[in-house]
Structures are given as structure tokens and as C-alpha cells.
Amino acid sequence: MSRSLKKFLKIAVPILIGAGLVFYSFSSTSPEDRTKILESIQNADLKWVFLSILIGILSHISRAVRWNYLLSPLGYKPRLINNVLIILTSYFANTLVLRSGEFLRATALTTYESVPFEKGFGTIVTERIIDVIMLMLIIVTALLFQTDVILGILQEKGIGLVGSLALLVTGILGLLIAIRIIKKSTSNFAVKVKNFLSGLLEGVLSIFKMKNKWAFIFHTFFIWICYIAMFWVIKFTVPETTNLPLGAFLVAFVAGAFAMAATNGGLGLFPIVVTAALSVYGVSKTSGDAYGWIMWTAQTLMVVIFGTISFIVLPLLNRNR
């Protein structure tokens, strides 16, 4: 297979999968329900949509500030406006080609701030490691806050408290056995897992070695609080989700985060998994779909509009570089 064909497939396949998921989502919905979903979207209170977008922008600015805390020990301090524009451009790139934004971000940093590619990319990898850890913390938090809901679902499936404990113990033992096997194994997969876990640990420890570690930690939590807040405020656009507890949106957030990582900007998959997560709390499919599409559309429009503007403004702002 030629290199150009591989590149084409890398771009086309995720988009086709996303388009297929969009088609599946709408084709599996009755005409009456589709009408209700569209009406809910049209009647959404735009002030909450714009508030969600504003919170999203704040998270990107905070990420731009935090990036300099990683670059500063390397002897570089890019202009904040360049950081913001580069980050917005990279998110826009990710909606077109999955995971391309990280490379574009490091390349743009080299072009406009003279930071060597490998050093800039290293800070981006560290960021991603920290993001994975934060997502794990949110997953654990969601499980702790929603224990009663999870137990209720298990009871509906015929699994009582004893069965739940047995599943938990089995899961922990399975994890410990898997860790022991991977630790001793020399296979390519085991090496990749060990390198990944080693990178996680190295990324965490690097925070405590930097000069502005507390500012870095503050911005890290602020970014992820913004991500959750973006989800939470959209609940006021759909009547059926207005009174749902925060825990429900933590579960929906985790589902949505995996969808965003799996497809280009969550295309097609995001509303499906968010609807499934909210259905656990009794939200109807039509309301869940409406919420998911409003949330996805608002954030995608933000990324596309501001990303496009950033893509145009960045070289104009740095004409002398």
C-alpha cells in the first residue's frame, strides 16, 4: 500500500465511521422522535449554549498559560497569544484528522517561537499524560458518587450486593495478576504498556520539579473543572435534564471524553454514548439525543470558528517570524 493511500485512509476512514454513526443515530430514530429532537434543539436557550462556549474558551486560555510552565524550564517563554492561537488551531486540526493537532501544535511552536520540535512535542506529551491522569480521577470520582446508581443497575441485572463485591474482588485480583504478567513479560505489547505507565509516573513527578508547580496544578484543575462545567450548563437547554444531579453529568462526561478520543471530534459517536449514559438516569432517548447534539454542536462550532480564525490570524500576527 502506497504512503499517499495510507494518508488518505487515515483521514477518510474516521470521517466515514463518524458519518455512518450519524446515519445510524438518525435512521434508528422514528420520524416523530426526530421531529421532537429537532424541536428541542431549535428551542434551546442560547444563553446557556454561549455560556458553555465561553467556559470552553477559558479552558483553552488556561491551557495556553499552563503550557508556558512546561516550556519555561527549557528556556522558552512563548507569547501567550501565540499559545492560544496555536492550541485553537490544533483542536481544529483534530476535527479533520484524528491526533494531527499535537504534531501541528509542536510544528507551529517551532515556526513562530523557535522552540525545537522535539522539545515542544515533549511538553505536549507531558500534557496528555496529565490529562489521562485527570480523566482517571474523574472516572473514580464518578464511580464513588454514583455507587448507588451502579448497584441499582447491577440489581436490575440480577446481581445483588454479594455478587457486586465478588465482581469487585475478581476485578482487583485480575488487575493484580495482569500487572504481574506484564511486569515479567518481554512482549511488544507488555513493553508498550510498561513504557506508557512509566511515562505517566514521569509526567506526574515532573510537575513537582518545576518552579511554578502550584500554578500548574491550579490550571490543571481549572481546565478540567471548565470541561465539566461546559457539560453541566447545557443541561438547562433541555427540560428533562434540568434537574439531574452533577454525578449524572460526570458519567456522561466520561462517556463523551472517550467518544471525542475515538473519532474526529466525537463525530456521530458523541451523542450516542451521551444519550446512553443519561438513559441510566431515566432520561428519554429524544431528550438525551437533543442534549448530546446541542453539546456537540456548540463545542464543535467553537473549535471550527475560533480554530479557523486562529489559523488565519497566527501567521499574520507573526509576519516577521
Side-chain angles (χ1 to χ4, degrees):
M1 186 181 293
S2 66
R3 185 176 296 179
S4 57
L5 181 58
K6 286 182 179 179
K7 287 182 178 179
F8 173 76
L9 290 175
K10 189 176 181 180
I11 297 171
V13 170
I15 294 174
L16 289 173
I17 291 172
L21 289 169
V22 172
F23 176 77
Y24 166 78
S25 178
F26 279 96
S27 63
S28 61
T29 305
S30 66
E32 295 80 8
D33 285 344
R34 280 201 295 270
T35 302
K36 289 179 182 178
I37 293 168
L38 291 173
E39 285 177 353
S40 296
I41 294 172
Q42 290 169 354
N43 295 328
D45 192 337
L46 291 180
K47 74 171 180 252
W48 297 111
V49 176
F50 286 124
L51 179 58
S52 178
I53 291 173
L54 175 61
I55 294 169
I57 293 170
L58 289 175
S59 74
H60 296 323
I61 294 172
S62 181
R63 185 175 286 274
V65 173
R66 191 185 69 168
W67 196 10
N68 271 350
Y69 295 140
L70 289 171
L71 290 165
S72 182
L74 303 177
Y76 304 97
K77 193 172 183 181
R79 289 192 295 171
L80 181 60
I81 184 63
N82 274 351
N83 280 5
V84 173
L85 295 175
I86 290 171
I87 286 170
L88 288 170
T89 302
S90 70
Y91 278 117
F92 176 46
N94 277 335
T95 64
L96 302 175
V97 183
L98 195 64
R99 299 274 71 85
S100 65
E102 284 73 10
F103 294 97
L104 176 62
R105 190 171 156 189
T107 303
L109 192 66
T110 301
T111 303
Y112 299 116
E113 292 291 348
S114 302
V115 178
F117 179 87
E118 63 278 5
K119 291 185 178 181
F121 191 73
T123 62
I124 295 166
V125 170
T126 301
E127 272 196 4
R128 288 290 171 258
I129 290 170
I130 301 302
D131 288 340
V132 169
I133 292 167
M134 289 301 298
L135 182 58
M136 288 178 178
L137 286 175
I138 291 172
I139 292 172
V140 171
T141 302
L143 290 173
L144 291 175
F145 274 92
Q146 300 301 299
T147 302
D148 55 338
V149 176
I150 296 168
L151 287 175
I153 295 171
L154 290 172
Q155 286 178 347
E156 287 180 7
K157 301 293 182 181
I159 303 172
L161 181 60
V162 175
S164 301
L165 290 173
L167 282 174
L168 179 62
V169 171
T170 303
I172 292 172
L173 287 174
L175 180 62
L176 292 174
I177 292 169
I179 290 172
R180 186 175 179 83
I181 292 172
I182 290 172
K183 192 174 180 180
K184 291 186 174 183
S185 176
T186 57
S187 67
N188 289 334
F189 174 75
V191 170
K192 287 181 180 179
V193 171
K194 283 187 278 191
N195 288 338
F196 174 73
L197 294 176
S198 176
L200 282 179
L201 182 60
E202 186 179 346
V204 174
L205 295 177
S206 68
I207 296 174
F208 297 99
K209 296 176 183 178
M210 67 176 62
K211 184 179 178 181
N212 300 298
K213 57 178 174 291
W214 295 115
F216 182 92
I217 292 170
F218 167 79
H219 279 283
T220 297
F221 279 94
F222 179 78
I223 290 165
W224 284 85
I225 288 170
C226 283
Y227 288 167
I228 295 169
M230 286 156 55
F231 256 74
W232 187 76
V233 298
I234 290 294
K235 79 173 188 173
F236 297 108
T237 62
V238 180
E240 200 173 334
T241 61
T242 301
N243 296 318
L244 285 179
L246 177 61
F249 293 99
L250 287 178
V251 174
F253 173 83
V254 171
F258 282 110
M260 296 292 279
T263 59
N264 295 40
L267 177 63
L269 185 60
F270 183 91
I272 292 173
V273 298
V274 168
T275 299
L278 293 178
S279 68
V280 174
Y281 299 87
V283 176
S284 65
K285 186 179 185 301
T286 53
S287 292
D289 281 341
Y291 172 91
W293 280 110
I294 292 169
M295 179 70 215
W296 181 83
T297 303
Q299 296 308 314
T300 301
L301 282 175
M302 177 193 71
V303 168
V304 170
I305 292 171
F306 286 98
T308 303
I309 293 171
S310 299
F311 181 75
I312 296 169
V313 171
L314 185 61
L316 294 177
L317 195 65
N318 297 273
R319 284 191 299 269
N320 61 334
R321 302 193 178 198

